[in-house]
Amino acid sequence: MNIGQLEYLVEVAEQGSYAKAARRLYVTPQAISKSLGDLEKELNVRLLDKVGRRVCLTEFAKSLAEQAEDALQIINEMRTAADNYSSTSSCSGKVAIAVSTIYHRVILFRESDFSLFRENYPNVSLETLFFSSESCLSAFREEIVDAAIIMGKYDEIGVQNHKLLTCDLHVTMACDHALRYKKEISLEDIKSLKIAMPQDSRCGYKAIRAACESRGIKPEFECIAPFHEAYKKFLGNGGVYFSMKSFRESDLNESVISKPLCKQDRISIPFYLVCRDKENDTPVSLLKSYLRNIIRSSHDVLQ
């Protein structure tokens, strides 16, 4: 098994065909086919099935592709660390990052989490902005920030996607809710309840809606203002909303509880750091490694 095979597997998993993957990697479809064929022989397990002109991954291959993506990112970080080793202490420059943060629902990083970065690299001017995922992406597109932490991948030429972590959705409700005694919640349990509209439509809304529709459920969403009193009233009327257990302390108060979704209804949301494909962008590289280290050092991250 080599790095090239892992890169091919990840790209085929994302693109769904040899041809599309080959165009992204600037190789021939035949090269990808042979490389993955060799990997199948080495592992003695089937990875790909052809359905017409499309290439479908086996369940094992999907799992392997996810692990391969994480492994490739770690390898890239090791290379970056080696390249920057001799110059990090004197590194200087400016970097701005937008961080996905949704009131009561998603807390991945706080302002205080970046204090150590500023201490370690005093010559790097770091600006942090906290928005919803879609606003973070807009800020990145408009070049207001150099990097952004968003839900899901952002595919565009000249943009790098670095997976930080994956969070499983939980169902949040009032402490006196009828479902409070259940250890896990199914989508069937909440099909007749009002659900707070996800604030991220590009990734979060699509994932929730798709999961519900796969169970033959049409969710009843309601828009909630991002204020404590609005959430309190909504939950008091029996409503629920989807949130994420992250490795950061929640802002939820004692009158609210969160329950995980049962295994068969599990909904997972990946978070990526997106940045532009620039050479010698040391401040962004340092920030990327710093964020990954924060996540690795936490014991509560849900992967």
Side-chain angles (χ1 to χ4, degrees):
M1 184 184 301
N2 57 54
I3 294 175
Q5 289 172 323
L6 298 183
E7 290 176 338
Y8 291 166
L9 179 63
V10 169
E11 200 63 41
V12 171
E14 293 179 359
Q15 301 301 324
S17 76
Y18 288 145
K20 290 181 180 179
R23 284 196 292 271
R24 289 288 298 272
L25 296 171
Y26 301 100
V27 297
T28 65
Q30 292 78 11
I32 293 179
S33 178
K34 182 181 184 307
S35 181
L36 295 185
D38 292 341
L39 183 58
E40 283 186 323
K41 292 177 182 177
E42 178 183 345
L43 299 178
N44 194 29
V45 62
R46 192 164 186 80
L47 299 175
L48 304 165
D49 291 318
K50 281 192 174 181
V51 180
R53 294 185 177 181
R54 290 184 59 82
V55 177
C56 298
L57 271 67
T58 63
E59 288 303 313
F60 176 80
K62 291 178 183 178
S63 175
L64 186 62
E66 290 182 2
Q67 296 177 61
E69 184 177 12
D70 292 337
L72 289 172
Q73 288 188 179
I74 292 173
I75 290 171
N76 287 332
E77 288 172 11
M78 292 170 65
R79 287 171 172 166
T80 299
D83 291 340
N84 295 331
Y85 177 75
S86 62
S87 60
T88 52
S89 60
S90 60
C91 176
S92 63
K94 295 182 179 180
V95 60
I97 183 172
V99 182
S100 177
T101 302
I102 301 177
Y103 186 80
H104 273 1
R105 304 195 201 190
V106 180
I107 303 173
L108 295 180
F109 299 96
R110 300 181 186 275
E111 176 61 38
S112 58
D113 292 318
F114 296 91
S115 299
L116 186 58
F117 180 90
R118 293 185 172 96
E119 291 179 16
N120 290 341
Y121 309 106
N123 296 323
V124 176
S125 176
L126 172 64
E127 180 183 7
T128 51
L129 303 173
F130 296 84
F131 302 129
S132 67
S133 181
E134 292 185 12
S135 295
C136 288
L137 182 55
S138 295
F140 177 74
R141 286 171 173 166
E142 297 297 323
E143 299 189 7
I144 297 172
V145 296
D146 304 293
I149 297 174
I150 62 172
M151 294 184 187
K153 264 190 174 181
Y154 174 55
D155 282 323
E156 184 176 279
I157 296 175
V159 173
Q160 296 180 5
N161 287 267
H162 303 279
K163 188 177 179 182
L164 294 177
L165 74 163
T166 300
C167 291
D168 291 341
L169 291 184
H170 284 54
V171 178
T172 299
M173 65 194 77
C175 281
D176 60 354
H177 197 280
L179 297 174
R180 64 187 181 278
Y181 295 116
K182 297 204 68 168
K183 185 177 180 180
E184 297 178 328
I185 304 297
S186 70
L187 294 176
E188 187 72 20
D189 291 330
I190 61 174
K191 70 176 183 180
S192 61
L193 302 178
K194 286 190 176 181
I195 303 171
M197 174 66 74
Q199 293 186 16
D200 170 73
S201 59
R202 189 182 68 91
C203 180
Y205 174 79
K206 286 183 179 179
I208 293 170
R209 179 142 194 160
C212 288
E213 289 180 349
S214 70
R215 294 281 187 265
I217 298 170
K218 186 176 181 181
E220 184 180 353
F221 291 114
E222 181 175 323
C223 291
I224 309 298
F227 303 111
H228 179 75
E229 289 303 319
Y231 273 83
K232 184 177 179 180
K233 181 178 179 181
F234 175 74
L235 294 176
N237 291 329
V240 300
Y241 63 86
F242 287 101
S243 61
M244 296 181 187
K245 179 182 178 182
S246 69
F247 60 93
R248 286 293 166 261
E249 226 179 85
S250 173
D251 278 337
L252 302 177
N253 57 39
E254 294 179 355
S255 64
V256 173
I257 55 174
S258 293
K259 301 283 186 175
L261 285 166
C262 56
K263 186 176 181 180
Q264 63 268 28
D265 289 337
R266 178 182 175 187
I267 304 174
S268 298
I269 304 293
F271 282 82
Y272 287 84
L273 174 71
V274 295
C275 56
R276 291 174 183 83
D277 190 6
K278 295 180 180 179
E279 293 184 1
N280 302 320
D281 197 346
T282 304
V284 173
S285 297
L286 293 175
L287 185 58
K288 177 183 66 177
S289 297
Y290 177 80
L291 293 173
R292 295 280 296 187
N293 287 335
I294 289 179
I295 294 170
R296 289 197 196 102
S297 65
S298 172
H299 299 292
D300 296 328
V301 178
L302 296 182
Q303 291 286 0

